[in-house]
Amino acid sequence: MNDIFGKINNLRKKRNAIILAHNYQSDEVQDIADVTGDSLELSRKAADNNADVIVFCGVLFMAETASILSPQKTVLLPDIHAGCPMADMIDEKQLAELKDKNPGAVVVCYVNSSAEVKAISDYCCTSANAVDVVKSIDADKKIIFVPDKNLGQVVKERTGRDMVLWPGYCPTHHFARADDLTKIKELHPSAEVLAHPECPKEIRDCANLLLSTGQMLKYVKTSDKNEFIIATEVGIIHSLKKQNPEKVFYTASERFVCPNMKKITLEKVLFALEDNKYVIRVPDETAAKARKALERMVAVLPK
Ligand code: 13P
Ligand code: SF4
Protein backbone atom coordinates (compact mmCIF):
# COMPACT_ATOMS: atom_id res chain seq x y z
CA MET A 1 0.00 0.00 0.00
CA ASN A 2 2.79 2.45 0.98
CA ASP A 3 4.51 1.58 -2.25
CA ILE A 4 1.45 2.63 -4.24
CA PHE A 5 1.18 5.90 -2.30
CA GLY A 6 4.89 6.55 -3.01
CA LYS A 7 4.54 5.79 -6.73
CA ILE A 8 1.45 7.97 -7.08
CA ASN A 9 3.18 10.81 -5.24
CA ASN A 10 6.26 10.62 -7.49
CA LEU A 11 4.19 10.65 -10.66
CA ARG A 12 1.92 13.39 -9.35
CA LYS A 13 5.00 15.60 -8.93
CA LYS A 14 6.69 14.54 -12.18
CA ARG A 15 3.56 15.17 -14.26
CA ASN A 16 2.46 18.29 -12.36
CA ALA A 17 -0.85 16.53 -11.72
CA ILE A 18 -3.65 17.31 -9.30
CA ILE A 19 -5.88 14.53 -7.97
CA LEU A 20 -9.50 15.55 -7.40
CA ALA A 21 -11.79 13.12 -5.58
CA HIS A 22 -15.52 13.26 -5.02
CA ASN A 23 -16.83 12.78 -1.47
CA TYR A 24 -18.22 9.34 -2.49
CA GLN A 25 -14.81 7.86 -3.32
CA SER A 26 -13.34 5.06 -1.23
CA ASP A 27 -11.41 6.07 1.92
CA GLU A 28 -7.95 5.50 0.42
CA VAL A 29 -8.74 7.40 -2.79
CA GLN A 30 -10.02 10.35 -0.73
CA ASP A 31 -6.84 10.17 1.36
CA ILE A 32 -4.50 10.38 -1.64
CA ALA A 33 -6.40 13.25 -3.28
CA ASP A 34 -5.19 16.85 -3.30
CA VAL A 35 -8.77 18.03 -3.06
CA THR A 36 -11.99 16.27 -2.05
CA GLY A 37 -15.37 17.88 -2.47
CA ASP A 38 -18.85 17.95 -3.93
CA SER A 39 -19.61 18.52 -7.61
CA LEU A 40 -19.61 22.31 -7.30
CA GLU A 41 -16.38 22.49 -5.29
CA LEU A 42 -14.62 20.12 -7.69
CA SER A 43 -15.87 22.05 -10.74
CA ARG A 44 -14.48 25.24 -9.26
CA LYS A 45 -11.17 23.54 -8.51
CA ALA A 46 -11.01 22.03 -12.01
CA ALA A 47 -11.46 25.52 -13.46
CA ASP A 48 -8.86 27.09 -11.18
CA ASN A 49 -5.56 25.26 -10.67
CA ASN A 50 -2.03 25.30 -12.07
CA ALA A 51 -1.68 21.61 -12.88
CA ASP A 52 -1.03 20.17 -16.34
CA VAL A 53 -2.96 17.00 -15.58
CA ILE A 54 -6.20 16.50 -13.63
CA VAL A 55 -6.85 12.96 -12.38
CA PHE A 56 -10.58 12.94 -11.71
CA CYS A 57 -11.62 10.33 -9.16
CA GLY A 58 -15.34 10.43 -9.75
CA VAL A 59 -17.63 9.59 -12.66
CA LEU A 60 -17.62 10.51 -16.36
CA PHE A 61 -19.76 13.66 -16.21
CA MET A 62 -17.39 15.10 -13.60
CA ALA A 63 -14.32 14.47 -15.77
CA GLU A 64 -16.16 15.92 -18.78
CA THR A 65 -17.00 19.01 -16.72
CA ALA A 66 -13.32 19.39 -15.82
CA SER A 67 -12.35 19.07 -19.51
CA ILE A 68 -14.95 21.68 -20.53
CA LEU A 69 -13.74 24.13 -17.89
CA SER A 70 -10.01 23.46 -18.44
CA PRO A 71 -9.67 22.41 -22.11
CA GLN A 72 -5.91 23.04 -22.13
CA LYS A 73 -5.31 20.40 -19.44
CA THR A 74 -5.15 16.64 -19.76
CA VAL A 75 -8.10 15.22 -17.81
CA LEU A 76 -7.89 11.56 -16.80
CA LEU A 77 -10.69 9.30 -15.53
CA PRO A 78 -9.01 6.23 -13.99
CA ASP A 79 -11.86 3.87 -14.98
CA ILE A 80 -13.53 4.54 -18.32
CA HIS A 81 -16.61 2.60 -17.20
CA ALA A 82 -17.28 4.86 -14.20
CA GLY A 83 -20.47 6.47 -15.52
CA CYS A 84 -23.56 7.93 -13.87
CA PRO A 85 -26.82 6.13 -14.69
CA MET A 86 -28.81 9.26 -13.89
CA ALA A 87 -26.80 11.29 -16.39
CA ASP A 88 -27.58 8.61 -19.01
CA MET A 89 -31.35 8.94 -18.43
CA ILE A 90 -31.61 11.85 -20.87
CA ASP A 91 -29.79 12.49 -24.15
CA GLU A 92 -29.67 15.59 -26.33
CA LYS A 93 -32.38 14.30 -28.68
CA GLN A 94 -34.82 13.83 -25.78
CA LEU A 95 -33.96 17.27 -24.39
CA ALA A 96 -34.38 18.88 -27.82
CA GLU A 97 -37.87 17.31 -28.05
CA LEU A 98 -38.76 18.60 -24.59
CA LYS A 99 -37.60 22.10 -25.59
CA ASP A 100 -39.78 21.93 -28.72
CA LYS A 101 -42.79 21.04 -26.56
CA ASN A 102 -42.08 23.98 -24.20
CA PRO A 103 -41.09 26.92 -26.40
CA GLY A 104 -39.55 29.82 -24.47
CA ALA A 105 -38.76 27.74 -21.38
CA VAL A 106 -35.32 28.13 -19.77
CA VAL A 107 -33.39 24.86 -19.46
CA VAL A 108 -31.57 24.12 -16.21
CA CYS A 109 -29.60 20.89 -16.25
CA TYR A 110 -28.18 19.22 -13.21
CA VAL A 111 -24.41 18.80 -13.58
CA ASN A 112 -25.07 15.03 -13.56
CA SER A 113 -25.67 15.11 -17.32
CA SER A 114 -23.70 14.54 -20.52
CA ALA A 115 -21.66 17.29 -22.19
CA GLU A 116 -24.14 17.19 -25.12
CA VAL A 117 -27.10 17.83 -22.81
CA LYS A 118 -25.21 20.69 -21.13
CA ALA A 119 -24.48 22.14 -24.58
CA ILE A 120 -28.20 22.68 -25.29
CA SER A 121 -29.03 23.89 -21.76
CA ASP A 122 -29.12 27.50 -20.59
CA TYR A 123 -27.86 26.91 -17.07
CA CYS A 124 -26.16 24.11 -15.25
CA CYS A 125 -26.56 23.59 -11.50
CA THR A 126 -25.47 21.23 -8.73
CA SER A 127 -27.39 20.16 -5.66
CA ALA A 128 -25.54 22.93 -3.76
CA ASN A 129 -26.82 25.78 -5.92
CA ALA A 130 -29.90 24.50 -7.81
CA VAL A 131 -32.32 26.69 -5.81
CA ASP A 132 -30.12 29.78 -6.25
CA VAL A 133 -29.71 29.14 -9.98
CA VAL A 134 -33.48 28.82 -10.51
CA LYS A 135 -34.17 31.89 -8.35
CA SER A 136 -31.75 33.88 -10.52
CA ILE A 137 -33.92 33.28 -13.62
CA ASP A 138 -36.71 35.77 -14.56
CA ALA A 139 -39.81 34.93 -12.51
CA ASP A 140 -42.11 34.82 -15.54
CA LYS A 141 -40.07 32.11 -17.29
CA LYS A 142 -41.11 28.48 -17.32
CA ILE A 143 -38.24 26.17 -16.39
CA ILE A 144 -37.30 22.77 -17.80
CA PHE A 145 -35.27 20.87 -15.20
CA VAL A 146 -33.33 17.73 -16.19
CA PRO A 147 -32.57 14.94 -15.40
CA ASP A 148 -33.22 14.46 -11.64
CA LYS A 149 -36.90 14.49 -10.68
CA ASN A 150 -36.08 14.40 -6.95
CA LEU A 151 -33.79 17.44 -6.94
CA GLY A 152 -36.26 19.05 -9.37
CA GLN A 153 -39.13 18.54 -6.90
CA VAL A 154 -37.08 20.09 -4.09
CA VAL A 155 -36.31 23.14 -6.24
CA LYS A 156 -39.96 23.43 -7.31
CA GLU A 157 -41.15 23.30 -3.68
CA ARG A 158 -38.58 25.87 -2.54
CA THR A 159 -39.03 28.36 -5.38
CA GLY A 160 -42.72 27.86 -6.26
CA ARG A 161 -41.70 28.12 -9.94
CA ASP A 162 -43.47 26.68 -12.95
CA MET A 163 -41.18 23.71 -13.71
CA VAL A 164 -41.27 20.79 -16.12
CA LEU A 165 -39.37 17.88 -14.55
CA TRP A 166 -37.69 15.05 -16.45
CA PRO A 167 -38.38 11.66 -14.76
CA GLY A 168 -34.71 10.76 -14.16
CA TYR A 169 -33.28 9.66 -10.83
CA CYS A 170 -30.16 8.32 -9.14
CA PRO A 171 -30.62 4.57 -8.53
CA THR A 172 -28.37 4.71 -5.44
CA HIS A 173 -30.50 7.35 -3.75
CA HIS A 174 -33.91 6.64 -5.26
CA PHE A 175 -34.09 3.01 -4.12
CA ALA A 176 -32.92 3.66 -0.57
CA ARG A 177 -35.72 2.54 1.74
CA ALA A 178 -37.53 4.82 4.15
CA ASP A 179 -38.10 1.89 6.55
CA ASP A 180 -34.29 1.42 6.90
CA LEU A 181 -34.09 5.08 7.89
CA THR A 182 -37.02 4.76 10.29
CA LYS A 183 -35.30 1.85 12.09
CA ILE A 184 -32.04 3.82 12.48
CA LYS A 185 -34.02 6.82 13.74
CA GLU A 186 -35.70 4.65 16.38
CA LEU A 187 -32.28 3.43 17.56
CA HIS A 188 -30.81 6.96 17.66
CA PRO A 189 -33.70 9.33 18.38
CA SER A 190 -31.53 12.36 19.13
CA ALA A 191 -29.54 12.10 15.89
CA GLU A 192 -30.10 14.73 13.22
CA VAL A 193 -30.99 13.38 9.76
CA LEU A 194 -29.11 14.92 6.83
CA ALA A 195 -30.30 13.79 3.39
CA HIS A 196 -29.17 14.48 -0.16
CA PRO A 197 -31.86 16.07 -2.37
CA GLU A 198 -31.49 13.12 -4.80
CA CYS A 199 -33.37 11.03 -2.19
CA PRO A 200 -37.03 10.17 -2.86
CA LYS A 201 -39.80 12.10 -1.10
CA GLU A 202 -40.38 9.54 1.68
CA ILE A 203 -36.74 9.93 2.77
CA ARG A 204 -36.66 13.70 2.25
CA ASP A 205 -39.74 14.00 4.46
CA CYS A 206 -37.90 12.32 7.37
CA ALA A 207 -34.84 14.58 7.05
CA ASN A 208 -34.01 17.59 9.20
CA LEU A 209 -31.97 19.11 6.37
CA LEU A 210 -31.47 18.52 2.63
CA LEU A 211 -27.87 19.25 1.67
CA SER A 212 -25.26 18.57 -1.01
CA THR A 213 -22.33 16.47 0.20
CA GLY A 214 -20.13 19.56 0.59
CA GLN A 215 -22.87 21.33 2.53
CA MET A 216 -23.19 18.30 4.86
CA LEU A 217 -19.48 18.51 5.67
CA LYS A 218 -19.69 22.24 6.37
CA TYR A 219 -22.87 21.93 8.44
CA VAL A 220 -21.61 19.12 10.69
CA LYS A 221 -18.40 21.04 11.51
CA THR A 222 -20.30 23.95 12.99
CA SER A 223 -23.34 22.12 14.40
CA ASP A 224 -23.62 21.68 18.18
CA LYS A 225 -25.26 18.27 17.61
CA ASN A 226 -23.17 15.15 18.18
CA GLU A 227 -25.03 12.41 16.30
CA PHE A 228 -26.04 12.36 12.66
CA ILE A 229 -27.87 9.96 10.36
CA ILE A 230 -26.54 10.40 6.84
CA ALA A 231 -28.87 9.70 3.90
CA THR A 232 -26.45 9.71 1.00
CA GLU A 233 -23.63 7.58 -0.41
CA VAL A 234 -21.57 5.94 2.35
CA GLY A 235 -18.22 7.32 1.09
CA ILE A 236 -18.90 10.66 2.75
CA ILE A 237 -18.81 9.08 6.22
CA HIS A 238 -15.00 8.84 5.90
CA SER A 239 -14.53 12.62 5.59
CA LEU A 240 -17.22 13.29 8.19
CA LYS A 241 -15.40 11.10 10.74
CA LYS A 242 -11.98 12.46 9.83
CA GLN A 243 -13.07 16.07 10.22
CA ASN A 244 -15.21 15.44 13.33
CA PRO A 245 -13.59 12.66 15.37
CA GLU A 246 -15.72 13.48 18.43
CA LYS A 247 -19.04 13.11 16.56
CA VAL A 248 -20.94 9.95 15.61
CA PHE A 249 -22.37 9.09 12.18
CA TYR A 250 -24.82 6.40 11.09
CA THR A 251 -25.63 5.55 7.50
CA ALA A 252 -29.38 5.75 6.84
CA SER A 253 -29.33 2.59 4.74
CA GLU A 254 -26.73 0.05 3.64
CA ARG A 255 -28.10 0.54 0.11
CA PHE A 256 -26.41 3.92 -0.20
CA VAL A 257 -23.49 2.65 -2.30
CA CYS A 258 -22.75 4.01 -5.78
CA PRO A 259 -21.08 1.15 -7.70
CA ASN A 260 -19.72 3.56 -10.29
CA MET A 261 -17.97 5.80 -7.77
CA LYS A 262 -16.43 2.68 -6.25
CA LYS A 263 -14.87 1.62 -9.57
CA ILE A 264 -11.96 3.98 -8.93
CA THR A 265 -9.16 2.35 -6.92
CA LEU A 266 -5.65 3.41 -5.91
CA GLU A 267 -4.21 1.00 -8.48
CA LYS A 268 -6.28 2.61 -11.23
CA VAL A 269 -5.13 6.08 -10.10
CA LEU A 270 -1.55 4.86 -10.46
CA PHE A 271 -2.22 3.33 -13.91
CA ALA A 272 -3.93 6.56 -14.97
CA LEU A 273 -0.79 8.55 -14.19
CA GLU A 274 1.58 5.92 -15.61
CA ASP A 275 -0.23 5.26 -18.89
CA ASN A 276 -2.11 8.55 -19.35
CA LYS A 277 -5.51 6.92 -19.27
CA TYR A 278 -8.32 7.43 -19.81
CA VAL A 279 -8.15 10.84 -21.45
CA ILE A 280 -11.53 12.60 -21.37
CA ARG A 281 -11.77 15.34 -23.95
CA VAL A 282 -15.03 16.96 -24.95
CA PRO A 283 -15.07 18.06 -28.64
CA ASP A 284 -14.42 21.81 -28.95
CA GLU A 285 -17.80 22.78 -30.38
CA THR A 286 -19.78 20.92 -27.70
CA ALA A 287 -17.40 22.16 -25.00
CA ALA A 288 -17.79 25.81 -26.04
CA LYS A 289 -21.59 25.59 -25.78
CA ALA A 290 -21.58 23.56 -22.54
CA ARG A 291 -19.07 25.98 -20.99
CA LYS A 292 -21.59 28.82 -21.12
CA ALA A 293 -24.10 26.83 -19.01
CA LEU A 294 -21.32 25.76 -16.62
CA GLU A 295 -19.83 29.22 -16.26
CA ARG A 296 -23.24 30.56 -15.27
CA MET A 297 -23.36 27.83 -12.62
CA VAL A 298 -19.85 28.43 -11.29
CA ALA A 299 -20.68 32.14 -10.97
CA VAL A 300 -23.82 31.59 -8.87
CA LEU A 301 -23.83 31.43 -5.05
CA PRO A 302 -22.87 29.83 -2.72
CA LYS A 303 -19.31 31.16 -2.98
P1 13P B 1 -22.86 16.41 -4.68
O1 13P B 1 -22.66 17.49 -5.67
O2 13P B 1 -23.77 16.77 -3.55
O3 13P B 1 -21.55 15.92 -4.16
O4 13P B 1 -23.59 15.18 -5.40
C1 13P B 1 -23.05 14.53 -6.52
C2 13P B 1 -23.71 13.27 -6.81
O5 13P B 1 -23.42 12.57 -7.75
C3 13P B 1 -24.78 12.88 -5.93
O6 13P B 1 -25.21 11.61 -6.23
FE1 SF4 C 1 -24.74 9.19 -10.36
FE2 SF4 C 1 -26.10 8.51 -8.19
FE3 SF4 C 1 -23.61 7.67 -8.44
FE4 SF4 C 1 -24.16 10.26 -7.96
S1 SF4 C 1 -24.53 8.53 -6.61
S2 SF4 C 1 -22.72 9.44 -9.46
S3 SF4 C 1 -26.05 10.50 -9.14
S4 SF4 C 1 -25.34 7.12 -9.76
Short mmCIF file of all heavy atoms in Angstrom, two decimals, residues 22-24 37-40 61-62 110 112 126-127 170 173 196 198 211-214 261, ligand 1:
data_model
loop_
_atom_site.label_atom_id
_atom_site.label_comp_id
_atom_site.label_asym_id
_atom_site.label_seq_id
_atom_site.Cartn_x
_atom_site.Cartn_y
_atom_site.Cartn_z
N HIS A 22 -14.19 12.96 -5.54
CA HIS A 22 -15.52 13.26 -5.02
C HIS A 22 -15.68 12.64 -3.62
O HIS A 22 -15.03 11.64 -3.29
CB HIS A 22 -16.61 12.72 -5.98
CG HIS A 22 -17.97 13.17 -5.57
ND1 HIS A 22 -18.80 12.38 -4.79
CD2 HIS A 22 -18.62 14.34 -5.76
CE1 HIS A 22 -19.91 13.06 -4.56
NE2 HIS A 22 -19.83 14.25 -5.13
N ASN A 23 -16.59 13.25 -2.85
CA ASN A 23 -16.83 12.78 -1.47
C ASN A 23 -17.33 11.34 -1.39
O ASN A 23 -17.39 10.77 -0.30
CB ASN A 23 -17.86 13.69 -0.79
CG ASN A 23 -17.31 15.08 -0.53
OD1 ASN A 23 -16.14 15.24 -0.21
ND2 ASN A 23 -18.15 16.10 -0.68
N TYR A 24 -17.74 10.73 -2.51
CA TYR A 24 -18.22 9.34 -2.49
C TYR A 24 -17.12 8.32 -2.79
O TYR A 24 -17.39 7.13 -2.88
CB TYR A 24 -19.31 9.15 -3.55
CG TYR A 24 -20.60 9.90 -3.33
CD1 TYR A 24 -21.48 10.09 -4.38
CD2 TYR A 24 -20.97 10.40 -2.09
CE1 TYR A 24 -22.68 10.77 -4.21
CE2 TYR A 24 -22.16 11.08 -1.92
CZ TYR A 24 -23.01 11.26 -2.98
OH TYR A 24 -24.20 11.93 -2.82
N GLY A 37 -14.28 16.91 -2.53
CA GLY A 37 -15.37 17.88 -2.47
C GLY A 37 -16.62 17.39 -3.17
O GLY A 37 -16.67 16.26 -3.66
N ASP A 38 -17.63 18.27 -3.20
CA ASP A 38 -18.85 17.95 -3.93
C ASP A 38 -18.69 18.41 -5.38
O ASP A 38 -17.64 18.94 -5.76
CB ASP A 38 -20.09 18.53 -3.23
CG ASP A 38 -20.18 20.06 -3.25
OD1 ASP A 38 -19.38 20.71 -3.97
OD2 ASP A 38 -21.05 20.61 -2.55
N SER A 39 -19.73 18.22 -6.18
CA SER A 39 -19.61 18.52 -7.61
C SER A 39 -19.27 19.99 -7.85
O SER A 39 -18.48 20.31 -8.74
CB SER A 39 -20.92 18.20 -8.33
OG SER A 39 -21.32 16.91 -8.05
N LEU A 40 -19.86 20.89 -7.08
CA LEU A 40 -19.61 22.31 -7.30
C LEU A 40 -18.18 22.67 -6.91
O LEU A 40 -17.47 23.34 -7.67
CB LEU A 40 -20.61 23.15 -6.49
CG LEU A 40 -20.49 24.66 -6.66
CD1 LEU A 40 -20.75 25.06 -8.11
CD2 LEU A 40 -21.46 25.40 -5.74
N PHE A 61 -19.31 12.28 -16.00
CA PHE A 61 -19.76 13.66 -16.21
C PHE A 61 -18.88 14.64 -15.47
O PHE A 61 -18.73 15.80 -15.88
CB PHE A 61 -21.26 13.83 -15.84
CG PHE A 61 -21.54 13.88 -14.36
CD1 PHE A 61 -21.37 15.05 -13.63
CD2 PHE A 61 -22.01 12.76 -13.69
CE1 PHE A 61 -21.64 15.10 -12.26
CE2 PHE A 61 -22.28 12.80 -12.33
CZ PHE A 61 -22.09 13.98 -11.61
N MET A 62 -18.26 14.21 -14.37
CA MET A 62 -17.39 15.10 -13.60
C MET A 62 -16.09 15.37 -14.37
O MET A 62 -15.61 16.50 -14.43
CB MET A 62 -17.09 14.49 -12.23
CG MET A 62 -18.33 14.33 -11.38
SD MET A 62 -17.96 13.63 -9.76
CE MET A 62 -19.58 13.76 -9.01
N TYR A 110 -29.02 19.65 -14.33
CA TYR A 110 -28.18 19.22 -13.21
C TYR A 110 -26.83 18.83 -13.80
O TYR A 110 -26.77 18.27 -14.91
CB TYR A 110 -28.88 18.00 -12.57
CG TYR A 110 -28.34 17.52 -11.24
CD1 TYR A 110 -27.63 18.34 -10.37
CD2 TYR A 110 -28.59 16.20 -10.84
CE1 TYR A 110 -27.18 17.86 -9.15
CE2 TYR A 110 -28.15 15.72 -9.61
CZ TYR A 110 -27.44 16.56 -8.78
OH TYR A 110 -26.99 16.08 -7.57
N ASN A 112 -25.08 16.48 -13.26
CA ASN A 112 -25.07 15.03 -13.56
C ASN A 112 -25.77 14.81 -14.90
O ASN A 112 -26.90 14.34 -14.98
CB ASN A 112 -25.83 14.25 -12.47
CG ASN A 112 -25.24 14.40 -11.08
OD1 ASN A 112 -24.80 15.48 -10.71
ND2 ASN A 112 -25.23 13.33 -10.32
N THR A 126 -25.76 22.42 -9.54
CA THR A 126 -25.47 21.23 -8.73
C THR A 126 -26.51 21.21 -7.61
O THR A 126 -27.32 22.14 -7.49
CB THR A 126 -24.06 21.26 -8.11
OG1 THR A 126 -24.05 22.22 -7.05
CG2 THR A 126 -22.99 21.60 -9.13
N SER A 127 -26.42 20.20 -6.76
CA SER A 127 -27.39 20.16 -5.66
C SER A 127 -27.11 21.29 -4.67
O SER A 127 -27.98 21.68 -3.91
CB SER A 127 -27.36 18.80 -4.96
OG SER A 127 -26.04 18.50 -4.56
N CYS A 170 -31.38 9.05 -9.48
CA CYS A 170 -30.16 8.32 -9.14
C CYS A 170 -30.56 6.99 -8.51
O CYS A 170 -31.19 7.00 -7.44
CB CYS A 170 -29.33 9.14 -8.16
SG CYS A 170 -28.12 8.12 -7.28
N HIS A 173 -29.69 6.61 -4.72
CA HIS A 173 -30.50 7.35 -3.75
C HIS A 173 -31.98 6.96 -3.84
O HIS A 173 -32.66 6.82 -2.83
CB HIS A 173 -30.38 8.86 -4.00
CG HIS A 173 -29.06 9.42 -3.56
ND1 HIS A 173 -27.92 9.37 -4.34
CD2 HIS A 173 -28.68 10.03 -2.41
CE1 HIS A 173 -26.91 9.93 -3.70
NE2 HIS A 173 -27.34 10.34 -2.52
N HIS A 196 -29.49 13.85 1.13
CA HIS A 196 -29.17 14.48 -0.16
C HIS A 196 -30.48 14.71 -0.91
O HIS A 196 -31.37 13.85 -0.86
CB HIS A 196 -28.23 13.56 -0.96
CG HIS A 196 -27.53 14.27 -2.07
ND1 HIS A 196 -28.13 14.52 -3.28
CD2 HIS A 196 -26.28 14.81 -2.14
CE1 HIS A 196 -27.27 15.17 -4.05
NE2 HIS A 196 -26.14 15.36 -3.39
N GLU A 198 -31.21 14.19 -3.83
CA GLU A 198 -31.49 13.12 -4.80
C GLU A 198 -32.34 12.01 -4.18
O GLU A 198 -32.78 11.10 -4.88
CB GLU A 198 -30.19 12.51 -5.34
CG GLU A 198 -29.47 13.41 -6.31
CD GLU A 198 -28.15 12.84 -6.78
OE1 GLU A 198 -27.90 11.64 -6.58
OE2 GLU A 198 -27.34 13.61 -7.32
N LEU A 211 -29.13 18.57 1.96
CA LEU A 211 -27.87 19.25 1.67
C LEU A 211 -27.07 18.49 0.62
O LEU A 211 -27.14 17.25 0.54
CB LEU A 211 -27.03 19.32 2.96
CG LEU A 211 -27.64 20.07 4.15
CD1 LEU A 211 -26.84 19.79 5.42
CD2 LEU A 211 -27.71 21.56 3.89
N SER A 212 -26.24 19.23 -0.14
CA SER A 212 -25.26 18.57 -1.01
C SER A 212 -24.21 17.94 -0.10
O SER A 212 -24.17 18.23 1.11
CB SER A 212 -24.60 19.60 -1.93
OG SER A 212 -23.60 20.33 -1.23
N THR A 213 -23.33 17.13 -0.67
CA THR A 213 -22.33 16.47 0.20
C THR A 213 -21.39 17.50 0.82
O THR A 213 -21.02 17.40 1.99
CB THR A 213 -21.54 15.41 -0.57
OG1 THR A 213 -20.84 16.02 -1.66
CG2 THR A 213 -22.44 14.31 -1.10
N GLY A 214 -21.02 18.52 0.05
CA GLY A 214 -20.13 19.56 0.59
C GLY A 214 -20.83 20.34 1.70
O GLY A 214 -20.22 20.68 2.72
N MET A 261 -18.98 5.06 -8.53
CA MET A 261 -17.97 5.80 -7.77
C MET A 261 -16.91 4.84 -7.24
O MET A 261 -15.73 5.17 -7.17
CB MET A 261 -18.63 6.54 -6.61
CG MET A 261 -19.40 7.76 -7.02
SD MET A 261 -18.24 9.11 -7.36
CE MET A 261 -19.38 10.41 -7.84
P1 13P B 1 -22.86 16.41 -4.68
O1 13P B 1 -22.66 17.49 -5.67
O2 13P B 1 -23.77 16.77 -3.55
O3 13P B 1 -21.55 15.92 -4.16
O4 13P B 1 -23.59 15.18 -5.40
C1 13P B 1 -23.05 14.53 -6.52
C2 13P B 1 -23.71 13.27 -6.81
O5 13P B 1 -23.42 12.57 -7.75
C3 13P B 1 -24.78 12.88 -5.93
O6 13P B 1 -25.21 11.61 -6.23
#
